[in-house]
Amino acid sequence: MNSRLLKEWTQLNKNGNKYYLCPIEENDMTHWQSEFEGPNNSPYRGHKFTLYLDIPSNYPMSPPKVRFKPYSMPHVNVDWKTGAVCLDILESMWSPIFNLQYVVESCLRLLTEPNGESPLNLELGILLRVSDHTGYNGLINYYLNHPHNSLSSK
Amino acid sequence: MEGYAYEYSHDSSMDSITFSDTEYPRNSYENKNPKERGISKDKLIKNTIVDHVLTQESEFDIDDNLLYSDDEYDEDYDDPYMNSSFIEPISTIKERKGLSKGSVPNLKYECLTTQNIFENMLAKVHHLQPIFNIPPEDILILLQHYDWNEERLLEVWTDRMDDLLIEIGINPSSGNISSSINGNGQMRSISDIIENKNSYCNNQTETNKDENEEYQIPNTRTRDISFKNNFFCTICCEEKSTETFSLECNHEYCISCYRHYIEDKLYTGNIINCMGCTLALKNDDIDKIMGHPSSTKLMLSSIKSFVSKHNRNYKWCPFADCNCIIHLKDTSSLPEYSRLHYSPFVKCINLHKFCFTCGFEIHAPADCIITNEWVKKARVESENLNWVLSHTKECPKCSVNIEKDGGCNHMVCSSCKYEFCWICEGDWAPHGNSFYQCTLYKNDDNNNNNNNSTNTNSITDVNKSLKKYTFYYKMFNEHEVSAKLDWKLGQNVGNKVKELQEKLGISWIEGQFLTDSIRMLNEGRTALKWSFAVAFYSDASHNLTKIFIDNQSLLSKAVEDLSELLQIKDPEIIMKRKTDFYNKTGYVENRTFALMECGRDLLCKGICKAN
Ligand SMILES: [Zn+2]
Ligand SMILES: [Zn+2]
Ligand SMILES: [Zn+2]
Ligand SMILES: [Zn+2]
Ligand SMILES: [Zn+2]
Ligand SMILES: [Zn+2]
């Protein structure tokens, strides 16, 4: 299955980098990371994020394990402490035809389209549910500006 | 928790002893329902045992004069050597017990395997084929999709059969292959996933267009394996001369990728779709791709999830490595059991006995409520003590073990698709509105503990009750350990019987008493073990509790005595002491019944209750 990852890697290089997705170390194809800026039409604009992708040995039959850098992503579907992402295509809806680029794109899309149904961040989940947009954006901003200041990181 | 896991390991050793083929002619247990078969002469004895174990009322109903008294038992025996029917002690007791006032209804059940159930399903397919008028393979997929529920399928079928065939992926939809992956949309965070799957699929094909254009031209609309030179597979991204497979959708992938893909999915029991769209692979396709009849694995997995989803009527034998399923067609008598504080024990063809209601091993004198309470407590306490956080949980619906490997609390069971909350194990649906409540509950608990710690009286109370619990839990565990040792002992029994046969030239039937002894020993031990759960929840000041505890110690003694007798290695001495074996075995049986009846009394009178 290695040639699949190599192929993805060459493809990414060819297409230029809309965002930066690459193996963390050149000679290890099992750990990737992606760095991107928050989308403009989201409360994350102007902030940089890092996404880690761990590739299981039976990739692409199994999806990569994906998480944001801990204590960096205040998002309804992301666990603040661990960075774990709750996304259906990374679980039951996974298909081997998806690739890493698609996974990163999906995570990016999650930033503009949070899903209140599967909250990992309960506070944000409640604000989203009651449609308190000011509170919602405000809390995200607070998190973003105080990344290591939250209760949970004590 | 610890005691729990352990219980299963000792159960597994059970399989290998006494009931092995060498001791028991196989065919005497192959029968699915021993109760219903005719009794031929040479099986008479065995049947007596089987019936004894199978018949519920025989477990507990016992003549009142046997209760709390043990002096008259020995007189009941003539020289059993001379007696042709060796099982006398047991059958005598059975007769004497008769049906008492509190008698419970008989349980009628059958013991099946997944294979048996699958065969029943195939019969259904056969029956449905003229109605549906589509290939049996397609009916199998339909049934699989509808959890083998014929009625539901028929309902939907008459309403909208064409849509159904497309939706389930049996027929390709004309034009765009679109939204139809099993209506499981709830967890969808990106709503148009399917579209994406397709657009992505196209994307990739596009990228590779120039490399393998000539092979992409859809020359066929059939599902089959073909051989391609220099085929570029978009899954593994290798270009090779290989066999490929595609369905009518022409999503073509190399055979090795297809095999890996299918391999992983055979155990889920779910319909396997094309990697690029929602078209379903039929059993025939799966077997073709895998090169051997792998689809049976998929079917059996599907049956397994069927069983789990119908766990009111179907129960897995909980014993390790046992694949039996007990099917109780009519569950209407079950409430009567719980009303009388009995437990509906069933027995699989491997002679494993377990409670149909709660799925635990035979747990009398405790009833299901006490048992569950006890087990829950054991779980909580062991977690409190070790702070071990479990990363697996049983699906609250189908009990399949689910591993939590991320932070996501929204769990979807891989087997039955039940969506639940990791924190409270409740249905996920209401969490849409009140997610916070299940965490608040836990916080409340913490607060209570904090309040308690300021109160010195309650702290000693807590310590006291913890001490009490630790004691009973220890006893419980100790007997579990002993039971395991007993089983080891039992493993030698088979050899002893064989030795007896060879050395003394005696018949199988004559050596049977050893097997009976070890079986009774285990039953006594198990009853003893669970009696500590009953004792823990009983009002210690009540007189009946004291009687119960006396009965415990009497049974302990009886059990240890019999256990000791079974240490004898010399077959000749064993034969000489046959009467001892009878007496001690019978005594254990009587003591066990007495303890059970006494425990039931505690429950009926409300002296023992889960708080
Ligand atoms: Zn391939
Ligand atoms: Zn397809
Ligand atoms: Zn069994
Ligand atoms: Zn039970
Ligand atoms: Zn389940
Ligand atoms: Zn909950």
Side-chain angles (χ1 to χ4, degrees):
Chain A
M1 290 288 156
N2 214 344
S3 61
R4 157 79 181 238
L5 286 165
L6 279 171
K7 177 90 184 174
E8 288 194 33
W9 183 210
T10 23
Q11 205 74 47
L12 282 161
N13 282 329
K14 233 199 289 184
N15 294 352
N17 33 350
K18 192 165 134 209
Y19 29 75
Y20 192 46
L21 170 62
C22 62
I24 295 172
E25 281 171 42
E26 192 84 40
N27 54 358
D28 179 10
M29 283 294 190
T30 59
H31 299 283
W32 292 54
Q33 72 175 29
S34 170
E35 280 174 349
F36 49 79
E37 283 198 6
N40 280 337
N41 54 342
S42 77
Y44 306 96
R45 79 178 284 182
H47 291 270
K48 271 201 159 180
F49 300 99
T50 307
L51 193 67
Y52 298 109
L53 300 93
D54 294 339
I55 319 296
S57 59
N58 62 344
Y59 176 83
M61 296 309 156
S62 295
K65 296 220 184 310
V66 174
R67 69 204 145 84
F68 280 94
K69 192 188 229 161
Y71 304 112
S72 76
M73 175 49 82
H75 187 283
V76 186
N77 309 110
V78 177
D79 188 304
W80 173 249
K81 273 190 248 178
T82 64
V85 185
C86 186
L87 186 61
D88 55 1
I89 63 141
L90 294 174
E91 284 160 47
S92 55
M93 301 294 283
W94 174 255
S95 164
I97 63 166
F98 299 149
N99 64 13
L100 299 182
Q101 183 177 338
Y102 179 71
V103 168
V104 174
E105 276 170 12
S106 303
C107 289
L108 250 172
R109 237 176 114 177
L110 208 53
L111 298 190
T112 47
E113 298 169 24
N115 173 18
E117 290 295 310
S118 310
L120 276 182
N121 186 320
L122 304 183
E123 296 167 284
L124 284 172
I126 289 164
L127 292 171
L128 189 66
R129 186 156 299 125
V130 300
S131 300
D132 180 354
H133 294 295
T134 329
Y136 175 76
N137 290 329
L139 187 57
I140 290 178
N141 254 311
Y142 177 80
Y143 269 122
L144 287 172
N145 295 318
H146 303 82
H148 296 285
N149 212 7
S150 88
L151 278 171
S152 16
S153 60
K154 249 196 284 191
Chain B
M1 197 76 208
E2 207 175 284
Y4 224 131
Y6 176 28
E7 180 182 302
Y8 286 99
S9 59
H10 105 70
D11 291 340
S12 68
S13 61
M14 188 168 173
D15 288 328
S16 46
I17 20 156
T18 45
F19 308 126
S20 67
D21 293 359
T22 42
E23 272 71 53
Y24 278 26
R26 187 66 187 154
N27 65 355
S28 65
Y29 293 104
E30 269 169 1
N31 214 317
K32 275 172 202 159
N33 190 346
K35 284 198 78 173
E36 279 172 19
R37 65 168 174 244
I39 298 176
S40 65
K41 213 175 180 186
D42 60 327
K43 286 180 188 161
L44 186 67
I45 304 280
K46 284 168 273 165
N47 280 333
T48 317
I49 304 164
V50 170
D51 279 354
H52 167 71
V53 198
L54 242 162
T55 316
Q56 283 298 324
E57 69 267 27
S58 67
E59 294 289 344
F60 309 105
D61 293 350
I62 180 165
D63 229 354
D64 279 343
N65 62 10
L66 273 174
L67 297 180
Y68 322 127
S69 80
D70 47 273
D71 38 337
E72 59 169 329
Y73 191 81
D74 291 7
E75 310 156 16
D76 280 359
Y77 290 109
D78 306 320
D79 183 7
Y81 245 115
M82 307 302 292
N83 201 325
S84 62
S85 114
F86 266 41
I87 306 303
E88 188 67 16
I90 289 164
S91 44
T92 307
I93 286 163
K94 192 183 165 192
E95 277 158 36
R96 262 197 316 201
K97 270 180 279 166
L99 284 172
S100 67
K101 64 273 165 195
S103 77
V104 289
N106 235 327
L107 282 185
K108 276 213 176 109
Y109 58 89
E110 52 183 347
C111 181
L112 304 166
T113 61
T114 39
Q115 186 63 37
N116 294 146
I117 299 176
F118 182 56
E119 278 156 19
N120 294 344
M121 297 307 176
L122 284 179
K124 265 190 196 175
V125 168
H126 224 76
H127 164 79
L128 289 173
Q129 213 271 326
I131 306 169
F132 281 51
N133 205 21
I134 55 173
E137 278 218 309
D138 295 358
I139 302 176
L140 262 184
I141 290 189
L142 286 169
L143 273 171
Q144 194 184 346
H145 182 83
Y146 280 96
D147 294 330
W148 307 97
N149 186 333
E150 192 180 347
E151 288 75 28
R152 253 184 69 210
L153 169 60
L154 278 168
E155 257 170 47
V156 189
W157 178 256
T158 42
D159 283 356
R160 38 189 281 268
M161 63 184 247
D162 290 335
D163 291 348
L164 199 64
L165 287 174
I166 292 168
E167 196 176 299
I168 296 170
I170 292 170
N171 287 347
S173 62
S174 47
N176 237 4
I177 303 146
S178 61
S179 60
S180 49
I181 277 193
N182 319 334
N184 183 21
Q186 258 218 354
M187 201 174 169
R188 191 166 300 176
S189 17
I190 294 176
S191 50
D192 46 352
I193 263 308
I194 313 288
E195 269 166 46
N196 267 300
K197 192 169 170 180
N198 287 310
S199 68
Y200 176 71
C201 188
N202 295 337
N203 259 345
Q204 206 170 42
T205 317
E206 244 169 51
T207 347
N208 306 313
K209 214 177 201 167
D210 21 85
E211 289 160 54
N212 60 326
E213 200 170 9
E214 51 193 307
Y215 305 115
Q216 290 295 319
I217 296 164
N219 42 4
T220 46
R221 293 281 284 181
T222 58
R223 37 180 75 209
D224 213 349
I225 290 180
S226 42
F227 188 86
K228 295 279 167 77
N229 283 311
N230 306 321
F231 173 79
F232 182 82
C233 170
T234 52
I235 300 296
C236 58
C237 292
E238 284 172 30
E239 187 175 331
K240 55 193 171 184
S241 302
T242 177
E243 283 184 314
T244 64
F245 184 86
S246 75
L247 299 172
E248 290 90 334
C249 55
N250 283 312
H251 293 130
E252 190 175 19
Y253 308 106
C254 82
I255 198 89
S256 134
C257 279
Y258 243 121
R259 281 182 188 150
H260 283 299
Y261 173 67
I262 291 172
E263 191 73 49
D264 284 354
K265 305 216 163 218
L266 287 177
Y267 299 96
T268 64
N270 300 327
I271 295 171
I272 304 177
N273 303 101
C274 166
M275 283 183 264
C277 68
T278 55
L279 217 49
L281 292 166
K282 298 177 188 179
N283 284 347
D284 211 32
D285 304 322
I286 292 167
D287 294 344
K288 243 189 245 167
I289 295 166
M290 299 307 279
H292 45 86
S294 294
S295 59
T296 43
K297 266 188 211 158
L298 178 69
M299 288 298 110
L300 295 186
S301 311
S302 179
I303 295 294
K304 278 183 190 167
S305 77
F306 161 83
V307 169
S308 305
K309 272 175 242 178
H310 294 79
N311 58 7
R312 273 173 57 88
N313 298 82
Y314 292 87
K315 291 276 157 72
W316 288 100
C317 172
F319 285 61
D321 299 324
C322 185
N323 294 316
C324 293
I325 299 154
I326 300 292
H327 177 208
L328 185 69
K329 277 198 189 96
D330 178 16
T331 55
S332 62
S333 59
L334 292 182
E336 184 67 1
Y337 276 88
S338 45
R339 192 182 68 80
L340 297 165
H341 300 283
Y342 280 110
S343 298
F345 296 113
V346 294
K347 184 170 68 65
C348 78
I349 52 163
N350 295 319
L351 303 180
H352 304 138
K353 284 198 271 185
F354 64 96
C355 174
F356 192 84
T357 304
C358 68
F360 285 110
E361 64 170 353
I362 189 158
H363 54 60
D367 64 1
C368 296
I369 298 165
I370 293 291
T371 300
N372 285 319
E373 205 62 31
W374 176 261
V375 169
K376 239 193 266 164
K377 191 172 175 65
R379 224 170 254 168
V380 169
E381 296 295 341
S382 66
E383 257 177 35
N384 280 350
L385 290 172
N386 308 322
W387 290 105
V388 178
L389 287 174
S390 169
H391 290 280
T392 59
K393 245 178 208 175
E394 282 186 356
C395 166
K397 265 264 167 65
C398 73
S399 301
V400 159
N401 271 312
I402 298 171
E403 204 175 285
K404 181 178 157 86
D405 53 5
C408 193
N409 285 317
H410 179 187
M411 308 304 291
V412 179
C413 171
S414 55
S415 169
C416 73
K417 299 277 170 279
Y418 178 61
E419 300 189 31
F420 65 99
C421 164
W422 178 269
I423 298 169
C424 69
E425 295 189 57
D427 195 349
W428 185 261
H431 282 76
N433 303 317
S434 60
F435 185 85
Y436 215 42
Q437 279 180 10
C438 61
T439 37
L440 275 181
Y441 177 69
K442 264 196 172 168
N443 289 341
D444 264 355
D445 259 0
N446 287 340
N447 287 343
N448 280 346
N449 287 344
N450 290 341
N451 290 343
N452 282 347
S453 60
T454 57
N455 183 329
T456 38
N457 273 340
S458 56
I459 232 184
T460 44
D461 278 354
V462 165
N463 280 344
K464 248 189 209 164
S465 86
L466 190 69
K467 243 187 187 164
K468 181 187 172 194
Y469 173 72
T470 312
F471 167 77
Y472 284 100
Y473 187 65
K474 231 185 211 164
M475 294 309 287
F476 182 88
N477 265 333
E478 219 140 272
H479 281 286
E480 199 157 75
V481 173
S482 305
K484 194 186 184 186
L485 295 176
D486 280 345
W487 275 114
K488 265 195 185 147
L489 193 71
Q491 271 169 327
N492 303 323
V493 167
N495 299 330
K496 283 186 197 170
V497 175
K498 236 187 256 165
E499 249 182 87
L500 283 178
Q501 287 166 325
E502 282 160 15
K503 256 195 174 165
L504 309 172
I506 59 157
S507 69
W508 173 83
I509 282 175
E510 277 178 285
Q512 186 53 27
F513 70 94
L514 270 178
T515 313
D516 292 339
S517 302
I518 192 77
R519 184 180 54 78
M520 197 56 237
L521 177 61
N522 189 261
E523 279 178 26
R525 187 78 83 182
T526 309
L528 203 51
K529 187 174 93 180
W530 285 101
S531 74
F532 285 97
V534 173
F536 176 73
Y537 290 110
S538 293
D539 174 5
S541 63
H542 201 283
N543 200 37
L544 201 54
T545 307
K546 286 168 190 153
I547 295 174
F548 183 74
I549 289 165
D550 287 347
N551 269 279
Q552 271 185 321
S553 57
L554 283 170
L555 179 58
S556 295
K557 172 95 172 59
V559 159
E560 298 309 334
D561 281 356
L562 181 58
S563 180
E564 201 182 314
L565 198 58
L566 281 156
Q567 310 275 1
I568 301 172
K569 302 227 159 48
D570 186 335
E572 284 181 49
I573 298 180
I574 290 175
M575 282 316 276
K576 264 188 204 134
R577 298 195 60 183
K578 203 167 175 176
T579 322
D580 278 347
F581 275 93
Y582 280 130
N583 292 345
K584 293 226 152 71
T585 303
Y587 184 55
V588 168
E589 184 168 29
N590 273 355
R591 296 286 9 138
T592 304
F593 285 137
L595 185 65
M596 283 176 176
E597 255 336 78
C598 187
R600 212 166 71 78
D601 238 14
L602 285 173
L603 284 160
C604 289
K605 294 186 172 134
I607 300 160
C608 170
K609 53 175 186 263
N611 10 356

